[in-house]
Amino acid sequence: LTMGLASSLFIAILLFPKFSFTQKMMQRLPLLGLDNPYKNYLIRRCQRRMIAWALFAALLYTIALLSDETKINQWVSNYTIWTVISGYIATELIVNRITNIKYRKTEWVPLMNDDGKMIGWAPRPLVHNGSLWLHPVVHLHVFNNDKLLLQLRPKSKKIQPGKWDTAVGGHIALNEKIETALQREAWEEIGLRAFEAKLIKQYVWKSPVEHEYVFSFTTYSKGPFNPKNVDEVEELKFWSKVEIQDNLGKGVFTPNLEHELREWILPLLK
């Protein structure tokens, strides 16, 4: 019983994230793909469940050591290991099943490193929950007669509600080409299709809630523009260079848009 208690506590400490020897060892195995943040996330959750079962075993051994009941001592000695192992396996099967059901109909997005190389994939809801996993997006700046089309984000949006943003912006889905994503997002958000666009910049944008690898495009169009979903785009409006300059730094635009305006969009407007 004493050996069982000591072993259980040792395993729990070994698996504890801050002192985890096993995680460091697994990170040395490239076949596991641990450069993929989503896999790292799943492994950390798995570790927590292993720690919980190891502590449960330690609790059973402690109860047995403090008890004078022979039957309790015998049961703990004979069945604790098998109870913990079977309980852990059952837990993993249930968690995996729930995870698969939860994300079965969810859009998945690729994950990238700072060099723009794909290193994995993850469900879209997890890339905007504070995880700050780097993922690719497209932006489209629409020009017409020296004016720039902007969209007003609905107040129902979780990120930057009620602010003016790039005319088109959206995620690149898993296994989707950049150009295909750009055409799809333009049609879904402003009803624009069959246009030619020019890639002017690609960069990494990081804020407290998102971490994006941005492909920024420009195009010229008179429309017509027809937002397909009021939950995505509340209003569309063409802005002159003077109007934009007068509203910079006043919280009118999203920080990401302001960055693009200052760095390379405003010089394109006359």
Side-chain angles (χ1 to χ4, degrees), residues 96-238:
N96 288 336
R97 178 62 175 168
I98 293 174
T99 301
N100 290 336
I101 293 174
K102 182 178 180 180
Y103 296 124
R104 180 180 299 168
K105 297 182 179 180
T106 298
E107 178 185 354
W108 287 65
V109 297
L111 301 178
M112 308 176 74
N113 60 20
D114 289 337
D115 296 325
K117 178 183 176 182
M118 179 178 166
I119 57 174
W121 51 86
R124 177 173 171 173
L126 293 184
V127 301
H128 286 297
N129 68 348
S131 65
L132 298 182
W133 296 340
L134 184 61
H135 57 283
V137 299
V138 289
H139 288 178
L140 179 65
H141 297 277
V142 181
F143 293 86
N144 180 29
N145 294 330
D146 296 326
K147 289 190 175 184
L148 180 67
L149 183 67
L150 300 180
Q151 64 157 275
L152 180 63
R153 296 175 63 83
K155 292 182 175 59
S156 58
K157 284 282 190 178
K158 292 183 179 180
I159 299 175
Q160 301 297 331
K163 292 187 178 182
W164 289 92
D165 202 359
T166 314
V168 175
H171 292 83
I172 300 174
L174 184 63
N175 299 323
E176 185 179 35
K177 293 182 179 180
I178 298 172
E179 294 77 12
T180 304
L182 186 68
Q183 294 283 340
R184 174 181 55 78
E185 289 289 346
W187 172 247
E188 291 176 355
E189 293 195 355
I190 65 174
L192 180 64
R193 68 192 323 172
F195 58 90
E196 294 184 2
K198 179 181 178 181
L199 177 65
I200 58 170
K201 194 77 173 180
Q202 54 190 73
Y203 66 97
V204 174
W205 172 259
K206 190 174 184 179
S207 73
V209 294
E210 56 188 354
H211 193 193
E212 298 177 334
Y213 196 99
V214 183
F215 295 89
S216 186
F217 291 82
T218 60
T219 191
Y220 292 84
S221 177
K222 296 181 180 179
F225 305 107
N226 179 28
K228 299 295 181 181
N229 188 347
V230 294
D231 293 329
E232 290 293 328
V233 179
E234 184 172 313
E235 182 184 347
L236 292 172
K237 175 186 173 183
F238 274 105

Side-chain angles (χ1 to χ4, degrees), residues 16 19 25 39 71 81 102 109 122 163 165 167 233 251 255 268:
F16 196 75
F19 310 102
M25 290 298 296
K39 283 190 177 180
K71 290 183 178 181
I81 293 178
K102 182 178 180 180
V109 297
K163 292 187 178 182
D165 202 359
V233 179
L268 299 177

